[in-house]
Amino acid sequence: MNQRKRVMAIASGGGHWVQLRRIMPALDGMDVFYVSLDPSLAADVPGHDYYTIRDVSRRDRFGILVVVAQLMKILFKERPKVVITTGSLPALIAMVLAKYLFGAKTIWIDSIANAEKLSASGKKAGKVADLWLTQWPHLSGPDGPQHWGAVL
Amino acid sequence: MFPFDRLIRVMDEWTAAQGRTDVFAQIGNGTYEPKHMKWTRKLDQLDFAKTVQDSELIVAHAGMGSVIMADQYAKPIVLLPRIQEQGEHTTDHQIATAAWLRGKPGIHVADTDADLPPSIELAFATARDTSGKWASAANPEFLTKIRQYVLDSL
């Protein structure tokens, strides 16, 4: 039996990762592993396991298959109870797999860069995420994401 | 990384016009290769941070990674938003991001290619006021709520 209370924190490179780093203090002392797109980011999360997956866009069907395979391998090994992400598409795929195959609780924080409307992945995340957040008050609503605050 | 040839081309021309030899560009998958700037396709995250730290001024797309990194090292930054119509991104969200960032300490926005050189001049002329600097982490109340949700889910 898996008794570990493992948390998966995942984000694409660039701005998504920078935003994830800004919420890292919320996970202090927890059993967290990180996933992103660039091997050098392991240096940002000393003391934690870190995995690299490839980037993928909506139109890249082969790439999506590769990312699913990479994520399945990680998920079978780590069995996270919670997945938290600041986007984007690879993280959405991770959320779907972790939730429906492993029963993980999922948290989506849409990027602060999406100031006018939710990201495409962020909209889809609403159907999956147990906690669905936007960083912009005006994008929140009763049928939409909640606004709990922002990383800036 | 999406290409952003328009920005790279304008900056290459600016570099030539200024006669500068100290401009460095990260050009991603662009097809335009700079003739007057030193350049690379992609820096890894650590080299990117070091490059920002060693720079006097950053000129970038309106991406939050660059903006937050510039803030972290208290460097002035000039932003040129990517435009969907030009194939520079999948949406026009960078225009909204730039509109929100306009006027924040140390941040300058160029709406068009032609605005870029004067925006750079202004950024050089205006010492970066770091009083409005973002804290190194998200606000504590936001972090506390997220933490509680994660703990309740474990």
Side-chain angles (χ1 to χ4, degrees), chain B:
Chain B
M1 267 198 305
F2 281 100
F4 196 5
D5 280 335
R6 184 163 60 94
L7 175 67
I8 302 304
R9 188 184 300 271
V10 173
M11 285 310 296
D12 202 33
E13 287 163 6
W14 180 85
T15 302
Q18 300 282 318
R20 296 193 75 124
T21 55
D22 57 351
V23 183
F24 178 78
Q26 173 182 270
I27 72 165
N29 298 324
T31 51
Y32 178 82
E33 297 188 348
K35 293 168 194 68
H36 308 286
M37 301 186 287
K38 292 189 247 348
W39 59 277
T40 189
R41 289 277 167 196
K42 188 178 186 308
L43 296 164
D44 74 27
Q45 195 77 8
L46 296 182
D47 287 336
F48 183 77
K50 188 172 183 318
T51 304
V52 168
Q53 194 173 3
D54 292 344
S55 297
E56 189 184 348
L57 174 80
I58 320 299
V59 179
H61 71 158
M64 290 310 299
S66 307
V67 171
I68 294 172
M69 197 72 84
D71 181 75
Q72 193 176 333
Y73 295 107
K75 304 294 180 177
I77 186 166
V78 177
L79 304 174
L80 181 69
R82 291 177 184 263
I83 295 170
Q84 182 185 6
E85 199 180 46
Q86 309 251 12
E88 293 161 358
H89 214 303
T90 50
T91 71
D92 272 334
H93 75 271
Q94 286 206 350
I95 294 172
T97 302
W100 166 59
L101 289 167
R102 189 187 299 273
K104 289 206 168 21
I107 301 177
H108 302 264
V109 174
D111 295 307
T112 65
D113 301 4
D115 287 343
L116 203 54
S119 298
I120 292 170
E121 292 312 311
L122 187 62
F124 272 129
T126 319
R128 171 138 196 176
D129 170 8
T130 55
S131 59
K133 201 166 159 29
W134 289 308
S136 60
N139 82 62
E141 196 191 337
F142 181 50
L143 293 178
T144 302
K145 286 172 92 170
I146 302 252
R147 181 177 184 81
Q148 196 54 54
Y149 190 90
V150 175
L151 288 173
D152 291 346
S153 305
L154 285 172

